[in-house]
Amino acid sequence: MIRKLVFNAKVVLKQQPKFQLVKHLATNSESPKIVQLQQIHIDEAVKLEPNLSIFTSEVWRRAHETFQNHGLETGNFLRIVTGNPGVLRRTPDKIINSLEIWRACQFGENLLHLLLTKYPELLDVSDSHQLLSHIGFLKSRVSTSKNVWKLLMNSPDVIAQPEEVVEEKLNLMVDVMRLEVPEIVKSCALTLPFEELRCRHAFLLRLGLFKPRPLKADPDEPTTNPKLYQITDTSEKTFATKICHVTLPEFEAFKELYAKELEGKSRRSKEAEDLSDDED
């Protein structure tokens, strides 16, 4: 079930004003405590997500009570169902099971609620064994559960990427770009395809705008390199004009030439291997 999940962090960020409106409706200015679900909350949620109109008040009440019993406030509940209407189709037991699958990742309740509220699609994960295996792999690369959580907050689609794909990107950032884990987990770098990440890094290198740190350098020592988020969390136009100080057409031309360069290297490497096999 994990591989079928599709995330687009940029789309989610564009939806934040909508979620903020829902959250505002569920917040009583006189009391910060959890409020009861009211019809006005449901009506406004339906305006924002028409697919919610098919559910009865009883379904809303039952689901809200289930989430509330597990520590999620009304505002969080509304953001979750607005972002993932299918949650309301589930029985309380299935909702609880979805929450328990993620609790097993041991992020802590507060961090888990933030993650599920920001990316309600994560509640569609149903294979606990596969999830825990993937989380374990990520933890082996970024050291702590907190770093895994940060990774997911910035690149939620990493949960649906095969381990070898994630590994390839992390190896590039750690071994080639020589970046530290804290910088990696604060960026959306793992959302980029490997080819795009490699291309942007190569472009900066050839412009003389990026120099890998010496192997034994102090990670806290200042560097003139662009921050990773500036390299990866930007559009092609912003990356080209603001980070590389060139025009977008110049970067696009480089991408084409670089792809041909890599293709040529791959072809020559294969020809060399074939020649070696023939000699054997």
Side-chain angles (χ1 to χ4, degrees):
M1 185 61 194
I2 293 178
R3 297 288 177 263
K4 294 181 180 179
L5 295 178
V6 178
F7 299 93
N8 189 325
K10 292 181 180 178
V11 169
V12 172
L13 291 175
K14 288 180 180 179
Q15 293 176 331
Q16 294 306 307
K18 175 176 78 173
F19 292 146
Q20 287 300 327
L21 175 59
V22 171
K23 187 174 182 180
H24 172 72
L25 288 168
T27 303
N28 185 328
S29 60
E30 297 179 358
S31 174
K33 295 181 180 180
I34 297 174
V35 299
Q36 292 301 311
L37 184 68
Q38 300 174 22
Q39 188 60 45
I40 187 175
H41 302 147
I42 297 175
D43 293 342
E44 289 300 324
V46 169
K47 287 181 183 178
L48 297 171
E49 179 47 74
N51 289 328
L52 293 170
S53 63
I54 64 174
F55 299 105
T56 65
S57 297
E58 175 58 24
V59 169
W60 278 88
R61 184 201 63 76
R62 184 181 62 193
H64 174 256
E65 184 178 275
T66 303
F67 278 101
Q68 193 176 52
N69 288 340
H70 285 264
L72 285 138
E73 298 182 2
T74 301
N76 290 335
F77 164 72
L78 290 169
R79 291 183 66 178
I80 287 172
V81 298
T82 304
N84 189 357
V87 168
L88 288 185
R89 297 182 184 277
R90 302 176 192 175
T91 64
D93 284 346
K94 287 187 176 180
I95 291 174
I96 293 170
N97 183 61
S98 296
L99 293 172
E100 291 300 331
I101 285 174
W102 280 98
R103 279 200 176 104
C105 297
Q106 299 183 338
F107 296 140
E109 287 296 289
N110 289 338
L111 297 184
L112 178 59
H113 293 171
L114 287 172
L115 179 64
L116 297 180
T117 300
K118 187 174 184 181
Y119 302 113
E121 304 98 320
L122 291 174
L123 285 169
D124 291 342
V125 173
S126 58
D127 190 328
S128 59
H129 177 75
Q130 189 178 9
L131 175 63
L132 288 177
S133 175
H134 203 61
I135 293 296
F137 158 70
L138 293 174
K139 187 175 179 180
S140 73
R141 291 305 309 260
V142 299
S143 303
T144 67
S145 295
K146 181 70 173 291
N147 281 337
V148 174
W149 175 81
K150 289 179 180 178
L151 205 61
L152 293 176
M153 286 292 284
N154 289 302
S155 301
D157 54 335
V158 74
I159 207 67
Q161 296 178 24
E163 288 184 7
E164 57 270 21
V165 171
V166 179
E167 187 88 19
E168 188 175 36
K169 297 177 190 178
L170 287 173
N171 287 344
L172 174 64
M173 288 185 278
V174 174
D175 299 334
V176 179
M177 299 175 74
R178 295 179 190 165
L179 300 173
E180 299 294 322
V181 167
E183 185 171 2
I184 293 172
V185 300
K186 290 178 182 177
S187 76
C188 300
L190 288 176
T191 298
L192 279 185
F194 172 76
E195 293 75 15
E196 179 69 17
L197 180 61
R198 178 176 57 181
C199 180
R200 292 192 180 199
H201 173 239
F203 193 50
L204 287 167
L205 281 176
R206 297 187 188 189
L207 289 173
L209 297 175
F210 192 98
K211 297 180 181 179
R213 293 177 181 273
L215 288 173
K216 296 183 179 180
D218 181 351
D220 295 324
E221 185 178 336
T223 174
T224 58
N225 292 337
K227 296 293 185 182
L228 181 60
Y229 75 86
Q230 295 176 311
I231 299 172
T232 62
D233 303 8
T234 50
S235 66
E236 286 196 347
K237 182 177 181 180
T238 299
F239 172 71
T241 60
K242 303 297 183 182
I243 308 303
C244 301
H245 310 294
V246 299
T247 64
L248 178 58
E250 286 176 313
F251 177 54
E252 290 174 335
F254 172 79
K255 287 183 68 174
E256 291 183 14
L257 292 173
Y258 187 60
K260 291 179 181 178
E261 177 185 323
L262 293 176
E263 184 181 344
K265 286 182 179 179
S266 177
R267 184 176 60 253
R268 289 191 295 273
S269 177
K270 187 176 185 307
E271 290 172 351
E273 288 180 6
D274 292 342
L275 182 60
S276 177
D277 290 340
D278 291 341
E279 291 177 351
D280 292 341

